[in-house]
Amino acid sequence: PLEWPVVSGKSVFNEFSSLARALGSSCVDLGQGFPNFDPPDFVVRALQQELESRADGGPQTRHQYTRTAGQPLLVELLAERYSRHLDRTLDPMKNVAVTVGATNGLYLAMKTALQRAGQGEWEILTLEPFFELYRAQAEGLGATF
Protein backbone atom coordinates (compact mmCIF):
# COMPACT_ATOMS: atom_id res chain seq x y z
CA PRO A 1 0.00 0.00 0.00
CA LEU A 2 1.05 3.55 -0.70
CA GLU A 3 2.21 5.38 2.39
CA TRP A 4 2.17 9.17 2.29
CA PRO A 5 4.82 11.00 4.28
CA VAL A 6 3.71 12.78 7.40
CA VAL A 7 4.68 16.43 7.22
CA SER A 8 5.07 17.79 10.70
CA GLY A 9 6.51 20.83 12.38
CA LYS A 10 6.23 24.36 11.14
CA SER A 11 4.36 25.08 7.95
CA VAL A 12 5.03 28.08 5.77
CA PHE A 13 1.27 28.31 5.23
CA ASN A 14 0.52 28.37 8.96
CA GLU A 15 3.24 30.94 9.59
CA PHE A 16 2.17 33.29 6.82
CA SER A 17 -1.55 32.92 7.54
CA SER A 18 -0.88 33.75 11.21
CA LEU A 19 1.22 36.74 10.18
CA ALA A 20 -1.51 37.95 7.80
CA ARG A 21 -4.13 37.69 10.56
CA ALA A 22 -1.86 39.63 12.92
CA LEU A 23 -1.32 42.39 10.34
CA GLY A 24 -5.03 42.66 9.64
CA SER A 25 -6.27 44.83 6.77
CA SER A 26 -2.77 46.11 5.98
CA CYS A 27 -1.90 42.68 4.55
CA VAL A 28 -3.20 40.59 1.64
CA ASP A 29 -2.71 36.85 2.20
CA LEU A 30 -2.46 35.19 -1.21
CA GLY A 31 -0.52 32.21 0.15
CA GLN A 32 -3.51 29.90 0.14
CA GLY A 33 -5.98 31.87 -1.91
CA PHE A 34 -7.42 34.16 0.76
CA PRO A 35 -7.66 37.51 -1.03
CA ASN A 36 -9.41 40.22 0.94
CA PHE A 37 -10.71 42.07 -2.11
CA ASP A 38 -13.27 41.55 -4.86
CA PRO A 39 -12.32 40.53 -8.39
CA PRO A 40 -11.70 43.38 -10.87
CA ASP A 41 -14.77 44.90 -12.51
CA PHE A 42 -13.86 43.51 -15.96
CA VAL A 43 -13.94 39.98 -14.54
CA VAL A 44 -17.34 40.55 -12.92
CA ARG A 45 -18.69 42.05 -16.20
CA ALA A 46 -17.36 39.08 -18.23
CA LEU A 47 -19.08 36.66 -15.86
CA GLN A 48 -22.32 38.62 -16.05
CA GLN A 49 -22.18 38.62 -19.87
CA GLU A 50 -21.53 34.88 -19.91
CA LEU A 51 -24.41 34.18 -17.52
CA GLU A 52 -26.80 36.36 -19.56
CA SER A 53 -25.78 35.01 -22.97
CA ARG A 54 -28.25 32.98 -25.00
CA ALA A 55 -27.95 30.35 -27.71
CA ASP A 56 -30.87 28.64 -29.42
CA GLY A 57 -33.30 30.34 -27.05
CA GLY A 58 -31.66 29.04 -23.89
CA PRO A 59 -28.72 29.86 -21.66
CA GLN A 60 -25.32 29.53 -23.32
CA THR A 61 -23.42 29.31 -20.06
CA ARG A 62 -20.60 26.80 -20.15
CA HIS A 63 -20.08 25.46 -16.66
CA GLN A 64 -19.50 21.77 -17.29
CA TYR A 65 -16.22 20.01 -16.58
CA THR A 66 -13.68 20.29 -19.37
CA ARG A 67 -10.80 18.02 -20.34
CA THR A 68 -8.40 17.46 -17.46
CA ALA A 69 -5.43 19.22 -19.10
CA GLY A 70 -7.40 22.38 -19.91
CA GLN A 71 -10.27 23.71 -21.99
CA PRO A 72 -9.41 23.19 -25.69
CA LEU A 73 -9.73 26.84 -26.75
CA LEU A 74 -7.47 27.92 -23.87
CA VAL A 75 -4.72 25.37 -24.60
CA GLU A 76 -4.91 26.21 -28.31
CA LEU A 77 -4.36 29.90 -27.56
CA LEU A 78 -1.53 29.08 -25.14
CA ALA A 79 0.11 26.78 -27.70
CA GLU A 80 -0.10 29.51 -30.34
CA ARG A 81 1.42 32.09 -28.01
CA TYR A 82 4.21 29.87 -26.66
CA SER A 83 5.01 28.42 -30.10
CA ARG A 84 6.01 31.96 -31.11
CA HIS A 85 7.84 32.55 -27.84
CA LEU A 86 9.77 29.24 -28.00
CA ASP A 87 10.25 29.43 -31.79
CA ARG A 88 8.86 25.92 -32.29
CA THR A 89 5.43 24.46 -32.88
CA LEU A 90 3.61 23.17 -29.81
CA ASP A 91 0.74 20.72 -30.12
CA PRO A 92 -1.97 22.10 -27.83
CA MET A 93 -3.30 18.64 -26.95
CA LYS A 94 0.12 17.09 -26.29
CA ASN A 95 2.46 19.89 -25.20
CA VAL A 96 0.23 22.21 -23.15
CA ALA A 97 -1.48 21.50 -19.85
CA VAL A 98 -3.47 23.81 -17.62
CA THR A 99 -3.52 22.66 -14.01
CA VAL A 100 -5.82 23.27 -11.10
CA GLY A 101 -3.51 25.45 -9.05
CA ALA A 102 0.20 25.38 -8.38
CA THR A 103 0.14 22.28 -6.16
CA ASN A 104 -1.24 20.17 -9.01
CA GLY A 105 1.16 21.75 -11.50
CA LEU A 106 4.19 21.10 -9.29
CA TYR A 107 3.11 17.51 -8.72
CA LEU A 108 2.67 16.83 -12.44
CA ALA A 109 6.00 18.47 -13.29
CA MET A 110 7.84 16.41 -10.66
CA LYS A 111 6.08 13.19 -11.66
CA THR A 112 6.92 13.80 -15.33
CA ALA A 113 10.58 14.53 -14.55
CA LEU A 114 10.88 11.38 -12.43
CA GLN A 115 9.19 9.22 -15.07
CA ARG A 116 11.57 10.55 -17.73
CA ALA A 117 14.51 9.71 -15.46
CA GLY A 118 13.55 6.04 -15.82
CA GLN A 119 13.25 3.29 -13.26
CA GLY A 120 15.60 3.13 -10.32
CA GLU A 121 16.17 5.05 -7.15
CA TRP A 122 15.23 8.68 -7.50
CA GLU A 123 16.91 11.36 -5.44
CA ILE A 124 15.90 15.00 -5.54
CA LEU A 125 18.31 17.68 -4.38
CA THR A 126 17.29 21.24 -3.65
CA LEU A 127 18.71 24.35 -2.05
CA GLU A 128 17.27 25.78 1.13
CA PRO A 129 15.01 27.54 1.64
CA PHE A 130 12.63 25.50 -0.49
CA PHE A 131 8.87 25.17 -0.80
CA GLU A 132 7.93 22.53 1.80
CA LEU A 133 5.50 20.87 -0.58
CA TYR A 134 8.46 19.60 -2.65
CA ARG A 135 9.49 17.15 0.07
CA ALA A 136 6.01 15.68 0.55
CA GLN A 137 5.44 15.34 -3.18
CA ALA A 138 8.89 13.83 -3.81
CA GLU A 139 8.50 11.29 -1.03
CA GLY A 140 4.92 10.54 -2.10
CA LEU A 141 6.25 9.71 -5.57
CA GLY A 142 8.88 7.40 -4.10
CA ALA A 143 11.92 9.69 -4.37
CA THR A 144 14.48 10.43 -1.70
CA PHE A 145 14.56 14.12 -0.83
Short mmCIF file of all heavy atoms in Angstrom, two decimals, residues 90-136:
data_model
loop_
_atom_site.label_atom_id
_atom_site.label_comp_id
_atom_site.label_asym_id
_atom_site.label_seq_id
_atom_site.Cartn_x
_atom_site.Cartn_y
_atom_site.Cartn_z
N LEU A 90 4.11 23.98 -30.92
CA LEU A 90 3.61 23.17 -29.81
C LEU A 90 2.24 22.61 -30.18
O LEU A 90 1.38 23.33 -30.68
CB LEU A 90 3.48 24.01 -28.53
CG LEU A 90 4.76 24.60 -27.97
CD1 LEU A 90 4.44 25.49 -26.77
CD2 LEU A 90 5.73 23.51 -27.56
N ASP A 91 2.04 21.35 -29.91
CA ASP A 91 0.74 20.72 -30.12
C ASP A 91 -0.09 20.99 -28.87
O ASP A 91 0.27 20.56 -27.77
CB ASP A 91 0.92 19.21 -30.31
CG ASP A 91 -0.39 18.48 -30.54
OD1 ASP A 91 -1.44 18.90 -30.00
OD2 ASP A 91 -0.37 17.47 -31.25
N PRO A 92 -1.20 21.73 -29.02
CA PRO A 92 -1.97 22.10 -27.83
C PRO A 92 -2.48 20.91 -27.02
O PRO A 92 -2.60 21.00 -25.80
CB PRO A 92 -3.13 22.92 -28.39
CG PRO A 92 -3.17 22.64 -29.83
CD PRO A 92 -1.80 22.20 -30.25
N MET A 93 -2.75 19.79 -27.66
CA MET A 93 -3.30 18.64 -26.95
C MET A 93 -2.22 17.72 -26.39
O MET A 93 -2.52 16.83 -25.60
CB MET A 93 -4.24 17.84 -27.86
CG MET A 93 -5.43 18.64 -28.33
SD MET A 93 -6.40 19.26 -26.93
CE MET A 93 -7.19 20.67 -27.67
N LYS A 94 -0.96 17.94 -26.78
CA LYS A 94 0.12 17.09 -26.29
C LYS A 94 1.17 17.86 -25.49
O LYS A 94 1.83 17.28 -24.63
CB LYS A 94 0.82 16.39 -27.46
CG LYS A 94 -0.04 15.37 -28.16
CD LYS A 94 0.74 14.71 -29.28
CE LYS A 94 -0.13 13.71 -30.01
NZ LYS A 94 0.60 13.12 -31.14
N ASN A 95 1.36 19.14 -25.80
CA ASN A 95 2.46 19.89 -25.20
C ASN A 95 2.02 20.98 -24.23
O ASN A 95 2.87 21.67 -23.68
CB ASN A 95 3.32 20.56 -26.30
CG ASN A 95 3.85 19.58 -27.29
OD1 ASN A 95 3.68 19.77 -28.49
ND2 ASN A 95 4.50 18.51 -26.85
N VAL A 96 0.73 21.15 -24.03
CA VAL A 96 0.23 22.21 -23.15
C VAL A 96 -0.75 21.62 -22.15
O VAL A 96 -1.64 20.86 -22.53
CB VAL A 96 -0.48 23.34 -23.96
CG1 VAL A 96 -1.02 24.41 -23.03
CG2 VAL A 96 0.46 23.94 -25.00
N ALA A 97 -0.55 21.95 -20.89
CA ALA A 97 -1.48 21.50 -19.85
C ALA A 97 -1.79 22.67 -18.93
O ALA A 97 -0.90 23.43 -18.57
CB ALA A 97 -0.90 20.35 -19.05
N VAL A 98 -3.04 22.82 -18.59
CA VAL A 98 -3.47 23.81 -17.62
C VAL A 98 -3.84 23.03 -16.37
O VAL A 98 -4.60 22.06 -16.44
CB VAL A 98 -4.69 24.60 -18.14
CG1 VAL A 98 -5.20 25.56 -17.08
CG2 VAL A 98 -4.32 25.36 -19.42
N THR A 99 -3.28 23.41 -15.24
CA THR A 99 -3.52 22.66 -14.01
C THR A 99 -4.44 23.41 -13.07
O THR A 99 -4.66 24.61 -13.22
CB THR A 99 -2.20 22.35 -13.29
OG1 THR A 99 -1.60 23.58 -12.87
CG2 THR A 99 -1.24 21.60 -14.19
N VAL A 100 -4.95 22.69 -12.11
CA VAL A 100 -5.82 23.27 -11.10
C VAL A 100 -4.94 23.73 -9.95
O VAL A 100 -4.74 23.03 -8.97
CB VAL A 100 -6.86 22.23 -10.62
CG1 VAL A 100 -7.81 22.85 -9.62
CG2 VAL A 100 -7.61 21.65 -11.80
N GLY A 101 -4.36 24.89 -10.09
CA GLY A 101 -3.51 25.45 -9.05
C GLY A 101 -2.08 24.98 -9.13
O GLY A 101 -1.73 24.04 -9.84
N ALA A 102 -1.23 25.66 -8.37
CA ALA A 102 0.20 25.38 -8.38
C ALA A 102 0.54 24.02 -7.80
O ALA A 102 1.46 23.35 -8.29
CB ALA A 102 0.94 26.47 -7.62
N THR A 103 -0.16 23.57 -6.78
CA THR A 103 0.14 22.28 -6.16
C THR A 103 0.03 21.17 -7.20
O THR A 103 0.91 20.32 -7.32
CB THR A 103 -0.80 22.01 -4.97
OG1 THR A 103 -0.59 23.02 -4.00
CG2 THR A 103 -0.56 20.64 -4.36
N ASN A 104 -1.05 21.18 -7.97
CA ASN A 104 -1.24 20.17 -9.01
C ASN A 104 -0.18 20.31 -10.09
O ASN A 104 0.37 19.32 -10.56
CB ASN A 104 -2.65 20.31 -9.59
CG ASN A 104 -2.97 19.26 -10.62
OD1 ASN A 104 -3.09 19.58 -11.79
ND2 ASN A 104 -3.10 18.01 -10.20
N GLY A 105 0.15 21.53 -10.48
CA GLY A 105 1.16 21.75 -11.50
C GLY A 105 2.53 21.27 -11.06
O GLY A 105 3.26 20.63 -11.83
N LEU A 106 2.90 21.56 -9.81
CA LEU A 106 4.19 21.10 -9.29
C LEU A 106 4.25 19.58 -9.23
O LEU A 106 5.26 18.97 -9.56
CB LEU A 106 4.43 21.70 -7.90
CG LEU A 106 4.72 23.20 -7.85
CD1 LEU A 106 4.65 23.70 -6.42
CD2 LEU A 106 6.06 23.51 -8.48
N TYR A 107 3.17 18.97 -8.80
CA TYR A 107 3.11 17.51 -8.72
C TYR A 107 3.30 16.88 -10.11
O TYR A 107 4.09 15.96 -10.28
CB TYR A 107 1.79 17.05 -8.10
CG TYR A 107 1.61 15.55 -8.13
CD1 TYR A 107 2.22 14.74 -7.18
CD2 TYR A 107 0.84 14.95 -9.13
CE1 TYR A 107 2.07 13.36 -7.22
CE2 TYR A 107 0.69 13.58 -9.18
CZ TYR A 107 1.31 12.79 -8.23
OH TYR A 107 1.16 11.43 -8.28
N LEU A 108 2.57 17.40 -11.09
CA LEU A 108 2.67 16.83 -12.44
C LEU A 108 4.05 17.04 -13.03
O LEU A 108 4.59 16.16 -13.71
CB LEU A 108 1.60 17.44 -13.34
CG LEU A 108 0.16 17.03 -13.02
CD1 LEU A 108 -0.83 17.80 -13.89
CD2 LEU A 108 -0.03 15.54 -13.18
N ALA A 109 4.66 18.21 -12.77
CA ALA A 109 6.00 18.47 -13.29
C ALA A 109 7.01 17.51 -12.65
O ALA A 109 7.86 16.94 -13.34
CB ALA A 109 6.40 19.92 -13.01
N MET A 110 6.91 17.31 -11.34
CA MET A 110 7.84 16.41 -10.66
C MET A 110 7.62 14.97 -11.11
O MET A 110 8.59 14.24 -11.38
CB MET A 110 7.67 16.52 -9.14
CG MET A 110 8.73 15.75 -8.37
SD MET A 110 8.58 15.91 -6.57
CE MET A 110 8.89 17.65 -6.35
N LYS A 111 6.38 14.56 -11.23
CA LYS A 111 6.08 13.19 -11.66
C LYS A 111 6.61 12.95 -13.08
O LYS A 111 7.21 11.91 -13.36
CB LYS A 111 4.57 12.94 -11.61
CG LYS A 111 4.18 11.54 -12.00
CD LYS A 111 2.69 11.31 -11.84
CE LYS A 111 2.35 9.89 -12.22
NZ LYS A 111 0.93 9.62 -12.07
N THR A 112 6.43 13.93 -13.96
CA THR A 112 6.92 13.80 -15.33
C THR A 112 8.44 13.71 -15.35
O THR A 112 9.01 12.86 -16.06
CB THR A 112 6.45 15.00 -16.18
OG1 THR A 112 5.02 15.00 -16.18
CG2 THR A 112 6.96 14.91 -17.60
N ALA A 113 9.11 14.55 -14.59
CA ALA A 113 10.58 14.53 -14.55
C ALA A 113 11.08 13.19 -14.03
O ALA A 113 12.04 12.62 -14.58
CB ALA A 113 11.10 15.68 -13.68
N LEU A 114 10.45 12.67 -12.98
CA LEU A 114 10.88 11.38 -12.43
C LEU A 114 10.62 10.24 -13.41
O LEU A 114 11.45 9.35 -13.56
CB LEU A 114 10.19 11.11 -11.09
CG LEU A 114 10.59 12.04 -9.93
CD1 LEU A 114 9.73 11.77 -8.71
CD2 LEU A 114 12.07 11.89 -9.61
N GLN A 115 9.49 10.27 -14.10
CA GLN A 115 9.19 9.22 -15.07
C GLN A 115 10.20 9.25 -16.22
O GLN A 115 10.63 8.21 -16.69
CB GLN A 115 7.77 9.38 -15.62
CG GLN A 115 6.71 8.96 -14.62
CD GLN A 115 5.30 9.19 -15.13
OE1 GLN A 115 5.06 10.03 -16.00
NE2 GLN A 115 4.36 8.45 -14.57
N ARG A 116 10.59 10.44 -16.64
CA ARG A 116 11.57 10.55 -17.73
C ARG A 116 12.96 10.10 -17.27
O ARG A 116 13.78 9.73 -18.10
CB ARG A 116 11.61 11.98 -18.26
CG ARG A 116 10.38 12.32 -19.05
CD ARG A 116 10.47 13.66 -19.72
NE ARG A 116 9.29 13.88 -20.52
CZ ARG A 116 9.10 14.93 -21.27
NH1 ARG A 116 10.02 15.88 -21.32
NH2 ARG A 116 8.00 15.08 -21.97
N ALA A 117 13.22 10.15 -15.98
CA ALA A 117 14.51 9.71 -15.46
C ALA A 117 14.63 8.19 -15.53
O ALA A 117 15.72 7.65 -15.42
CB ALA A 117 14.69 10.18 -14.01
N GLY A 118 13.53 7.50 -15.72
CA GLY A 118 13.55 6.04 -15.82
C GLY A 118 13.44 5.38 -14.46
O GLY A 118 13.39 6.03 -13.41
N GLN A 119 13.38 4.06 -14.50
CA GLN A 119 13.25 3.29 -13.26
C GLN A 119 14.55 3.33 -12.46
O GLN A 119 15.62 3.56 -13.00
CB GLN A 119 12.89 1.85 -13.58
CG GLN A 119 11.51 1.69 -14.19
CD GLN A 119 10.40 2.19 -13.28
OE1 GLN A 119 10.43 1.98 -12.08
NE2 GLN A 119 9.42 2.88 -13.84
N GLY A 120 14.43 3.12 -11.19
CA GLY A 120 15.60 3.13 -10.32
C GLY A 120 15.31 3.95 -9.09
O GLY A 120 14.17 4.31 -8.82
N GLU A 121 16.35 4.24 -8.36
CA GLU A 121 16.17 5.05 -7.15
C GLU A 121 16.29 6.52 -7.52
O GLU A 121 17.29 6.94 -8.09
CB GLU A 121 17.23 4.66 -6.12
CG GLU A 121 17.01 3.26 -5.59
CD GLU A 121 17.84 2.99 -4.36
OE1 GLU A 121 18.16 3.95 -3.63
OE2 GLU A 121 18.15 1.82 -4.15
N TRP A 122 15.26 7.26 -7.19
CA TRP A 122 15.23 8.68 -7.50
C TRP A 122 15.67 9.46 -6.28
O TRP A 122 15.24 9.20 -5.16
CB TRP A 122 13.83 9.12 -7.87
CG TRP A 122 13.27 8.51 -9.11
CD1 TRP A 122 13.95 8.20 -10.26
CD2 TRP A 122 11.92 8.15 -9.35
NE1 TRP A 122 13.10 7.67 -11.19
CE2 TRP A 122 11.84 7.63 -10.66
CE3 TRP A 122 10.76 8.22 -8.60
CZ2 TRP A 122 10.65 7.19 -11.23
CZ3 TRP A 122 9.59 7.78 -9.15
CH2 TRP A 122 9.53 7.27 -10.46
N GLU A 123 16.50 10.46 -6.51
CA GLU A 123 16.91 11.36 -5.44
C GLU A 123 16.77 12.77 -5.95
O GLU A 123 17.24 13.10 -7.04
CB GLU A 123 18.35 11.10 -5.02
CG GLU A 123 18.78 11.98 -3.86
CD GLU A 123 20.17 11.66 -3.37
OE1 GLU A 123 20.88 10.85 -4.00
OE2 GLU A 123 20.55 12.22 -2.33
N ILE A 124 16.10 13.61 -5.16
CA ILE A 124 15.90 15.00 -5.54
C ILE A 124 16.70 15.88 -4.58
O ILE A 124 16.59 15.75 -3.36
CB ILE A 124 14.40 15.37 -5.49
CG1 ILE A 124 13.66 14.55 -6.54
CG2 ILE A 124 14.21 16.86 -5.71
CD1 ILE A 124 12.18 14.75 -6.56
N LEU A 125 17.51 16.74 -5.16
CA LEU A 125 18.31 17.68 -4.38
C LEU A 125 17.75 19.08 -4.58
O LEU A 125 17.33 19.43 -5.69
CB LEU A 125 19.77 17.66 -4.84
CG LEU A 125 20.46 16.30 -4.81
CD1 LEU A 125 21.86 16.41 -5.40
CD2 LEU A 125 20.52 15.75 -3.40
N THR A 126 17.76 19.87 -3.54
CA THR A 126 17.29 21.24 -3.65
C THR A 126 18.10 22.11 -2.70
O THR A 126 18.78 21.62 -1.80
CB THR A 126 15.79 21.34 -3.32
OG1 THR A 126 15.34 22.66 -3.60
CG2 THR A 126 15.50 20.99 -1.89
N LEU A 127 18.04 23.39 -2.93
CA LEU A 127 18.71 24.35 -2.05
C LEU A 127 17.70 24.89 -1.07
O LEU A 127 16.53 25.08 -1.40
CB LEU A 127 19.30 25.50 -2.88
CG LEU A 127 20.34 25.09 -3.93
CD1 LEU A 127 20.72 26.31 -4.77
CD2 LEU A 127 21.57 24.48 -3.28
N GLU A 128 18.15 25.16 0.14
CA GLU A 128 17.27 25.78 1.13
C GLU A 128 17.39 27.28 1.03
O GLU A 128 18.47 27.78 0.73
CB GLU A 128 17.65 25.31 2.54
CG GLU A 128 17.32 23.86 2.78
CD GLU A 128 17.55 23.46 4.24
OE1 GLU A 128 17.61 24.35 5.10
OE2 GLU A 128 17.69 22.27 4.49
N PRO A 129 16.34 28.02 1.28
CA PRO A 129 15.01 27.54 1.64
C PRO A 129 14.29 27.00 0.39
O PRO A 129 14.54 27.45 -0.71
CB PRO A 129 14.32 28.77 2.18
CG PRO A 129 14.96 29.91 1.46
CD PRO A 129 16.40 29.49 1.24
N PHE A 130 13.40 26.06 0.60
CA PHE A 130 12.63 25.50 -0.49
C PHE A 130 11.17 25.42 -0.06
O PHE A 130 10.84 25.48 1.13
CB PHE A 130 13.14 24.13 -0.93
CG PHE A 130 13.16 23.10 0.17
CD1 PHE A 130 12.04 22.37 0.48
CD2 PHE A 130 14.33 22.88 0.89
CE1 PHE A 130 12.05 21.43 1.49
CE2 PHE A 130 14.36 21.94 1.91
CZ PHE A 130 13.22 21.21 2.21
N PHE A 131 10.31 25.30 -1.03
CA PHE A 131 8.87 25.17 -0.80
C PHE A 131 8.63 23.81 -0.16
O PHE A 131 8.98 22.78 -0.73
CB PHE A 131 8.14 25.31 -2.12
CG PHE A 131 6.64 25.37 -2.05
CD1 PHE A 131 6.00 26.04 -1.02
CD2 PHE A 131 5.88 24.77 -3.02
CE1 PHE A 131 4.62 26.10 -0.96
CE2 PHE A 131 4.50 24.83 -2.98
CZ PHE A 131 3.87 25.50 -1.95
N GLU A 132 8.05 23.78 1.04
CA GLU A 132 7.93 22.53 1.80
C GLU A 132 7.12 21.46 1.09
O GLU A 132 7.27 20.28 1.36
CB GLU A 132 7.36 22.80 3.18
CG GLU A 132 5.91 23.24 3.15
CD GLU A 132 5.39 23.54 4.53
OE1 GLU A 132 5.96 24.39 5.22
OE2 GLU A 132 4.40 22.90 4.91
N LEU A 133 6.30 21.84 0.16
CA LEU A 133 5.50 20.87 -0.58
C LEU A 133 6.39 19.94 -1.41
O LEU A 133 6.04 18.79 -1.65
CB LEU A 133 4.52 21.61 -1.50
CG LEU A 133 3.55 20.75 -2.30
CD1 LEU A 133 2.61 19.99 -1.37
CD2 LEU A 133 2.77 21.60 -3.26
N TYR A 134 7.56 20.43 -1.85
CA TYR A 134 8.46 19.60 -2.65
C TYR A 134 8.78 18.28 -1.95
O TYR A 134 8.79 17.23 -2.57
CB TYR A 134 9.77 20.32 -2.96
CG TYR A 134 9.67 21.58 -3.78
CD1 TYR A 134 10.68 22.51 -3.76
CD2 TYR A 134 8.56 21.84 -4.59
CE1 TYR A 134 10.62 23.67 -4.52
CE2 TYR A 134 8.49 23.00 -5.34
CZ TYR A 134 9.52 23.91 -5.32
OH TYR A 134 9.45 25.05 -6.06
N ARG A 135 9.10 18.36 -0.66
CA ARG A 135 9.49 17.15 0.07
C ARG A 135 8.33 16.14 0.09
O ARG A 135 8.52 14.97 -0.22
CB ARG A 135 9.91 17.48 1.50
CG ARG A 135 10.32 16.24 2.30
CD ARG A 135 10.54 16.51 3.79
NE ARG A 135 11.26 17.72 4.08
CZ ARG A 135 12.59 17.84 4.15
NH1 ARG A 135 13.34 16.79 3.96
NH2 ARG A 135 13.15 19.00 4.43
N ALA A 136 7.15 16.59 0.46
CA ALA A 136 6.01 15.68 0.55
C ALA A 136 5.69 15.06 -0.80
O ALA A 136 5.41 13.87 -0.90
CB ALA A 136 4.79 16.43 1.10
#
